[in-house]
Amino acid sequence: MAENSPARLWSMRLVYLALALLIAFVHLLPMQTLPGRLAGPDLLTTLTFAWALRRPAYVPALLIALVMLLADFLFQRPPGLWALLVLLATEWLKNRARTVRENTFVAEWLTAAGALLCITLIYRLTLGILIVAPGMFSLALMQYGMTVLAYPLVAAASYVVFGVRRTTPGEFDHTGRTL
């Protein structure tokens, strides 16, 4: 029951915010002066998806919207587009969390990969319609693949380090509602 207390809920929301800011900070560090040959994973989206599928209460919609909008500004993406798509995908994943928790980890992984594929395609299509240069398709495909491959690592780290595990059937929050 202590895991579902309001103090734990708010502390985990702060942990999510701190992790998001840390990911953004590390992403912005000038590690190399030349452009890389590989597109790295989108760890912020992966973290958000993993936490939304495992503990939806830890990542409320307003917090996701603020974090992703800040990331849009910091990473110089069109403001609000990726934030909106991640928010919509995360809310869809939260609605699917109850059915996904009854399946294996592979089902969870494929659900997150499918949601990521949808928002990636919508993002590129929207940028194409608005005549904004979306970048090379091969880099977007590579980033998608790297993000999907990073999902198990992020989910495992979330579980081992922060204790973000899937809810179990019959688990209740502090008010007595089922999770």
Side-chain angles (χ1 to χ4, degrees), residues 81 85 120-132:
L81 179 58
L85 292 174
T120 301
L121 292 175
I122 292 170
Y123 181 75
R124 291 195 54 85
L125 182 66
T126 304
L127 290 181
I129 289 172
L130 296 175
I131 312 172
V132 177

Side-chain angles (χ1 to χ4, degrees), residues 23-63:
I23 290 170
F25 176 74
V26 169
H27 184 75
L28 292 174
L29 284 177
M31 298 287 196
Q32 53 190 349
T33 57
L34 298 174
R37 292 180 178 247
L38 296 174
D42 186 353
L43 293 176
L44 191 53
T45 303
T46 307
L47 179 74
T48 304
F49 283 4
W51 284 38
L53 279 170
R54 292 169 172 265
R55 289 288 177 166
Y58 289 173
V59 283
L62 183 60
L63 183 59

Side-chain angles (χ1 to χ4, degrees), residues 75 95 114 135 151:
F75 302 154
N95 288 333
Y151 184 84

Side-chain angles (χ1 to χ4, degrees), residues 48-120:
T48 304
F49 283 4
W51 284 38
L53 279 170
R54 292 169 172 265
R55 289 288 177 166
Y58 289 173
V59 283
L62 183 60
L63 183 59
I64 294 169
L66 291 175
V67 163
M68 290 299 169
L69 187 60
L70 178 66
D72 281 350
F73 288 130
L74 291 176
F75 302 154
Q76 297 180 357
R77 296 187 293 226
L81 179 58
W82 187 251
L84 175 67
L85 292 174
V86 170
L87 179 63
L88 292 174
T90 304
E91 291 302 312
W92 181 78
L93 288 172
K94 285 180 184 180
N95 288 333
R96 305 258 320 145
R98 185 172 290 204
T99 57
V100 170
R101 78 173 176 207
E102 297 167 359
N103 292 321
T104 63
F105 175 76
V106 175
E108 175 187 338
W109 190 11
L110 291 175
T111 303
L116 182 64
L117 179 64
C118 288
I119 66 172
T120 301

Side-chain angles (χ1 to χ4, degrees), residues 7-23 44 47 51 58-59 63 67 157-158 161-164:
R8 168 81 176 171
L9 178 70
W10 282 99
S11 66
M12 291 308 290
R13 288 176 179 175
L14 289 175
V15 166
Y16 170 77
L17 179 62
L19 284 173
L21 293 175
L22 179 68
I23 290 170
L44 191 53
L47 179 74
W51 284 38
Y58 289 173
V59 283
L63 183 59
V67 163
S158 296
V161 177
F162 302 106
V164 179

